[in-house]
Amino acid sequence: MQEISLLNSVIGPVMRGPSSSHCAAPYMMAKLVRELSCSNGETLQNAVVRFDPRGSFAPCYKAQSSDENFAAGLAGAKLTDADYREILGRVERGEGFRFAIEVTELDNNNHPNRVDIELSVLTLDGETRTDLYTGASVGGGMYYIDSMNGEALFLTGKTATVFVWGTDAIANADQIAADLATGENSVLDVSHDPDHDRIEISLQSLPDVKAFSELRTRYGIANLRYGGASQYPVCATDDLFSTSEAVIAVADGQEGGSIADAALVLEAKRLGLSREATRVLFRERCELMLRVVAEGFDAKPEDNVMRFLTLRARKVRDANLPSGLGGPVLQDAMAGALSAMERDSNRGLVCAAPTAGSAGVVPGTLYGLIRHGIDIEGATDALQVMALIGAVFAARGTFAAECGGCSVETGASAAMAAAGVAQAYGGDAKQCFDAASMCLMNTLGLVCDPVGGDVEIPCHARNVAGVSHAFSSAMAILAGFDAVLGYDELVDQTVKIGALMHPDLRCTARGGCAATKTALRMVEAVTKSA
């Protein structure tokens, strides 16, 4: 079963904060468990989020605003809410509900981004109930919840989910599912857990609340919980993206052999939408990325909350460089990448592509293309190709820097962008993958070492480098250079090398740039002044 979606998992999610692993997934996980615990009219009273001291959340959750995103998700906030960043302070004071983070040994610590979430809720009959959820953020905004009050499950937020307990529920599972799938809503899966007298129904979307009331009356159901999809619902779980060969075969089957069309065909299948509807979503995502870049350029110095960096994107874009140095396309693309990252680090709304730590490379590249002769349709085609390259990476590996270092963030995003540039300037499917391969060759073993845990130094510089890798790789391939080594093999090696890295080199702020004398002095200075 494969749930990777181009719009959800690769050029998404849309989020707030500097890290998709530490911001986007926490928000979605928290929002989902709140919905599950409060399905029957309960009121959230207390929430405790627990991290293991040996994991990556513990040293970075404040600097990377994980606490803000857990709090906002538990409050049921929308990403566009004006008071999004104020929620944490309120709930820490006990306004609405009490919120706390604890760093303590977890029973299950098999992933660097492991988390336990304990919720206390007030039921309609005035009693207090405690629910315990366990799960992990696994990179690029993807996550799973794997237990609820000791019952094993596997929720990824890729569908709306309804749980019903009771022997009558198991006996009437198919009919209950049919009752919930009203209108154009579809049942995607029905599973049974006889050990807990539980059925799980996956749907495209949740029905009206009235449907749940009728369900309880009709079947005498006492215990029912539900949560909506975190992103676009995944309707097909076929293996679509595991090899570049299979993807190219789909491209070859389209008129003209377009890899951009292959992306559209595969994502439409994944989301259960028409190609036309899927194209609209890709264009909207492209326009959102360009808007993020524009907002970054318009940012005012007084609104900057970065601890170490000042706003430099507009200065880079408008600089009068010596003639012949780089070129205007590359300069604009680099400036666009910086602009998106500055928006990201200032907690603005951004799109992880594929992660927040690498959220500048793809938008910056699109900005460079748009500024120099590629129209919005061509840029959307390029984005589709970028997403497809990233999907093959995700299918074979991970976007979590905690597992693979920065080579799975800016390395992956540079590979994606290189393929998009090749597409924009007439490259075929093989050339797109070869351009991506060149980027991975040049980023193998790249460490993740954010100074002070903030996604600023060297992250912004790495996004600039990612854009440079993308354009130089595409140029070399289109000019006739042979990458030789296949993309799939290089993804596999990227993952293997990441696993061999010392933990201090994988997003803990304990190695690399973060361990330099200058970095340590900077962190000490900002900590004292806080």
Side-chain angles (χ1 to χ4, degrees):
M1 183 175 74
Q2 189 183 82
E3 296 185 331
I4 296 164
S5 153
L6 305 186
L7 288 157
N8 288 339
S9 317
V10 186
I11 51 167
V14 176
M15 54 168 287
R16 280 180 179 264
S19 166
S20 45
S21 294
H22 288 180
C23 301
Y27 167 75
M28 290 187 283
M29 294 170 79
K31 193 168 184 290
L32 176 57
V33 299
R34 178 187 186 275
E35 291 176 358
L36 291 169
S37 283
C38 298
S39 297
N40 301 295
E42 296 92 340
T43 302
L44 180 60
Q45 291 186 308
N46 191 55
V48 180
V49 175
R50 298 189 176 98
F51 308 137
D52 194 283
R54 296 164 295 176
S56 67
F57 271 122
C60 298
Y61 74 88
K62 290 183 179 178
Q64 297 194 2
S65 70
S66 306
D67 47 1
E68 286 186 5
N69 282 278
F70 274 114
L74 289 166
K78 295 180 180 178
L79 287 165
T80 52
D81 286 352
D83 64 345
Y84 190 93
R85 299 201 63 206
E86 300 168 12
I87 294 171
L88 174 62
R90 293 203 297 263
V91 297
E92 283 182 329
R93 295 189 296 270
E95 297 176 18
F97 61 92
R98 293 183 299 277
F99 174 81
I101 284 182
E102 295 179 359
V103 177
T104 184
E105 296 263 344
L106 302 183
D107 292 337
N108 186 345
N109 188 36
N110 62 356
H111 191 284
N113 290 337
R114 196 79 196 180
V115 60
D116 288 2
I117 305 175
E118 183 179 295
L119 304 184
S120 297
V121 297
L122 181 67
T123 66
L124 289 177
D125 57 12
E127 296 183 357
T128 298
R129 186 188 75 237
T130 299
D131 292 331
L132 178 63
Y133 301 89
T134 66
S137 164
V138 294
M142 293 180 279
Y143 69 90
Y144 60 77
I145 303 291
D146 59 0
S147 79
M148 174 171 58
N149 295 329
E151 295 185 20
L153 42 83
F154 193 75
L155 298 178
T156 61
K158 298 299 194 319
T159 68
T161 304
V162 178
F163 291 104
V164 186
W165 285 263
T167 53
D168 287 347
I170 291 179
N172 296 284
D174 291 338
Q175 185 56 52
I176 291 173
D179 290 346
L180 292 174
T182 56
E184 297 182 357
N185 197 4
S186 298
V187 176
L188 303 178
D189 188 46
V190 179
S191 61
H192 307 72
D193 182 355
D195 292 340
H196 298 100
D197 282 343
R198 186 189 77 205
I199 64 170
E200 177 181 343
I201 303 168
S202 299
L203 301 157
Q204 278 186 293
S205 61
L206 291 176
D208 188 90
V209 176
K210 194 186 304 182
F212 293 115
S213 299
E214 294 173 355
L215 202 65
R216 292 185 181 95
T217 302
R218 190 175 306 143
Y219 298 101
I221 294 167
N223 197 359
L224 180 152
R225 298 192 189 192
Y226 52 86
S230 299
Q231 301 177 65
Y232 298 118
V234 168
C235 298
T237 56
D238 309 51
D239 185 345
L240 303 179
F241 305 117
S242 289
T243 69
S244 55
E245 183 180 3
V247 168
I248 291 174
V250 174
D252 289 343
Q254 306 305 308
E255 185 177 348
S258 167
I259 193 173
D261 283 344
L264 204 58
V265 168
L266 293 170
E267 184 69 349
K269 181 175 183 179
R270 181 68 90 212
L271 300 183
L273 300 173
S274 68
R275 289 180 60 177
E276 292 74 19
T278 307
R279 175 67 175 189
V280 169
L281 296 179
F282 273 113
R283 177 163 175 159
E284 289 175 348
R285 189 61 52 88
C286 185
E287 290 170 341
L288 170 65
M289 289 182 170
L290 294 169
R291 188 163 65 249
V292 167
V293 172
E295 290 172 353
F297 284 133
D298 290 340
K300 297 178 176 59
E302 58 267 27
D303 296 329
N304 181 40
V305 299
M306 292 187 287
R307 293 205 298 170
F308 304 115
L309 296 177
T310 56
L311 301 176
R312 293 299 177 95
R314 189 164 53 213
K315 183 175 183 179
V316 170
R317 183 194 64 184
D318 298 340
N320 186 18
L321 294 174
S323 177
L325 179 61
V329 180
L330 183 57
Q331 182 176 348
D332 279 337
M334 290 164 52
L338 272 178
S339 182
M341 288 304 294
E342 288 173 357
R343 189 71 180 149
D344 184 16
S345 293
N346 280 297
R347 310 311 191 251
L349 196 68
V350 296
C351 177
T355 68
S358 60
V361 178
V362 167
T365 300
L366 293 173
Y367 177 75
L369 295 176
I370 284 284
R371 290 263 287 184
H372 297 277
I374 304 299
D375 63 15
I376 189 64
E377 296 303 328
T380 302
D381 285 342
L383 181 59
Q384 289 169 198
V385 172
M386 294 175 186
L388 193 52
I389 298 297
V392 176
F393 193 105
R396 305 183 73 88
T398 175
F399 292 137
E402 300 81 6
C403 298
C406 199
S407 51
V408 304
E409 291 205 34
T410 55
S413 62
M416 292 162 55
V421 172
Q423 156 71 29
Y425 291 107
D428 60 24
K430 184 179 184 304
Q431 288 175 314
C432 290
F433 272 104
D434 281 351
S437 294
M438 274 197 66
C439 282
L440 293 190
M441 289 181 204
N442 296 329
T443 55
L444 285 173
L446 185 60
V447 304
C448 180
D449 48 355
V451 172
D454 294 70
V455 183
E456 297 180 29
I457 304 170
C459 312
H460 288 212
R462 294 260 172 83
N463 277 259
V464 169
V467 167
S468 303
H469 275 310
F471 276 90
S472 62
S473 297
M475 288 168 63
I477 294 299
L478 293 177
F481 185 79
D482 189 351
V484 182
L485 302 180
Y487 182 72
D488 297 4
E489 293 179 289
L490 288 165
V491 173
D492 294 345
Q493 288 302 313
T494 299
V495 174
K496 288 178 181 178
I497 291 170
L500 292 172
M501 284 183 190
H502 190 281
D504 284 358
L505 303 178
R506 297 183 305 199
C507 200
T508 57
R510 293 193 294 258
C513 291
T516 61
K517 290 180 180 179
T518 299
L520 295 173
R521 285 197 300 268
M522 292 170 64
V523 172
E524 183 181 10
V526 297
T527 302
K528 284 182 178 178
S529 64

